[in-house]
């Protein structure tokens, strides 16, 4: 982890935190932390800064923290994703949090295997855990919001048109699509299909909801690859 995420419950004084569990183990085993060393820290949904290790034993670590910087800028994106299989979902959730996406809608689609919906990864505490890993990787503190919609048609007909309204609204689809537009720092709604792709009927429904089909060229990418490629093509690099 490139940033140690802190919760308000970690604070034992105005500038002092005590850590145990996963973060303690990480400090000991990965960082091989020594008293006096500095670490990047940030409060969940708050500021980032520096923590100095002032005490370490097998039960806990204590850091003196100075929090004085804003976390990195976020992407103005609402990402709608057909639910991938669990192994891919885990990687996608972490990558999405790392890349600065703050709103993820996981939806059903014809080619989403029904069994994927019973993965424990969709339990709020498991989602939370993987989102935190993604945030810690990138040095961010702002927890993305995740919405789950198990029925395609009601979502696309009743919710998506409002979500997409007044945004650059796109669906990534390799066929009969326009080339991916140039990077723009503008509110965007982007739909990404399941590993088998959206079926023609679904693309039609997404287009009726106001989304324009765009492609990334003739190579078909895995979902986990399509996500970072699309995001880096659609948004300028923050300076
Ligand atoms: N087998 C499917 C491909 C699915 S790839 C098919 O042939 O349609 C999974 C998802 O990643 C797609 O639904 C799309 O949203 C995105 N994707 C992958 N490669 C893409 C490309 N070249 N252009 C646009 N979207 C792509």
């Amino acid at each position: 982890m490139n940033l140690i995420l802190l919760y308000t419950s970690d604070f034992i004084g105005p500038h002092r935190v005590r850590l145990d569990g996963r973060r303690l183990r990480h400090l000991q085993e990965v960082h091989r932390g020594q008293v006096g060393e500095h670490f990047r820290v940030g409060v969940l949904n708050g500021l980032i800064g520096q923590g100095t290790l002032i005490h370490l034993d097998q039960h806990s670590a204590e850091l003196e923290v100075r929090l004085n910087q804003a976390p990195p800028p976020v992407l103005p994106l609402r990402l709608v994703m057909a639910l991938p299989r669990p192994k891919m979902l885990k990687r996608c959730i972490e990558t999405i949090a790392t890349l600065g996406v703050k709103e993820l809608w996981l939806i059903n689609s014809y080619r989403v295997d029904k069994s994927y919906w019973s993965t424990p990864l969709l339990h709020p505490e498991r989602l939370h855990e993987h989102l935190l890993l993604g945030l810690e990787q990138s040095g961010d503190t702002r927890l993305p919001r995740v919405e789950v919609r198990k029925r395609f048609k009601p979502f696309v007909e009743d919710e998506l048109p409002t979500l997409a309204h007044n945004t650059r609204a796109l669906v990534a689809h390799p066929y009969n699509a326009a080339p991916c537009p140039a990077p723009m720092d503008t509110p965007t709604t982007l739909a990404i299909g399941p590993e088998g792709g959206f079926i023609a009927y679904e693309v039609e429904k997404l287009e009726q909801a106001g989304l324009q089909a765009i492609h990334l060229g003739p190579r078909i990418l895995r979902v986990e690859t399509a996500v970072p490629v699309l995001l880096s093509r659609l948004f300028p690099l923050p300076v």
Side-chain angles (χ1 to χ4, degrees), residues 111 171-175 191-198 214-223 226 230:
R111 294 202 173 119
V171 46
H173 190 59
Y175 316 104
I192 298 187
E195 290 169 274
F198 283 126
I214 56 150
H215 74 80
L216 291 166
R219 292 177 192 271
I220 307 293
L221 309 177
R222 281 174 190 245
V223 175
L230 281 158

Side-chain angles (χ1 to χ4, degrees), residues 58-77:
Q58 63 197 80
H59 306 294
S60 69
E62 286 182 23
L63 293 107
E64 187 80 25
V65 298
R66 285 278 169 260
L67 300 158
N68 49 15
Q69 296 160 48
V74 306
L75 289 180
L77 173 67

Side-chain angles (χ1 to χ4, degrees), residues 74-180:
V74 306
L75 289 180
L77 173 67
R78 176 173 288 140
L79 184 62
V80 176
M81 232 174 111
L83 185 71
R85 78 192 128 100
K87 196 171 148 199
M88 184 81 82
L89 174 64
K90 186 154 82 179
R91 292 202 289 254
C92 286
I93 291 171
E94 291 182 18
T95 304
I96 283 164
T98 295
L99 290 170
V101 177
K102 295 299 162 197
E103 203 180 312
L104 172 65
W105 293 68
L106 292 169
I107 66 163
N108 195 26
S109 146
Y110 186 76
R111 294 202 173 119
V112 169
D113 194 294
K114 283 199 174 57
S115 67
Y116 299 170
W117 286 107
S118 49
T119 173
L121 278 173
L122 286 173
H123 293 169
E125 63 280 13
R126 292 292 305 279
L127 276 174
H128 189 86
E129 184 189 316
H130 290 286
L131 291 169
L132 293 188
L133 290 173
L135 292 179
E136 287 174 341
Q137 166 62 39
S138 64
D140 193 359
T141 64
R142 285 178 272 210
L143 192 68
R145 162 181 165 209
V146 181
E147 295 282 341
V148 174
R149 294 292 183 270
K150 286 192 186 175
R151 292 171 66 216
F152 179 84
K153 200 161 168 253
F155 169 72
V156 172
E157 287 183 351
D158 305 336
E159 291 189 274
L160 188 57
T162 316
L163 296 175
H165 186 64
N166 280 342
T167 72
R168 175 172 63 161
L170 310 167
V171 46
H173 190 59
Y175 316 104
N176 302 323
C180 185

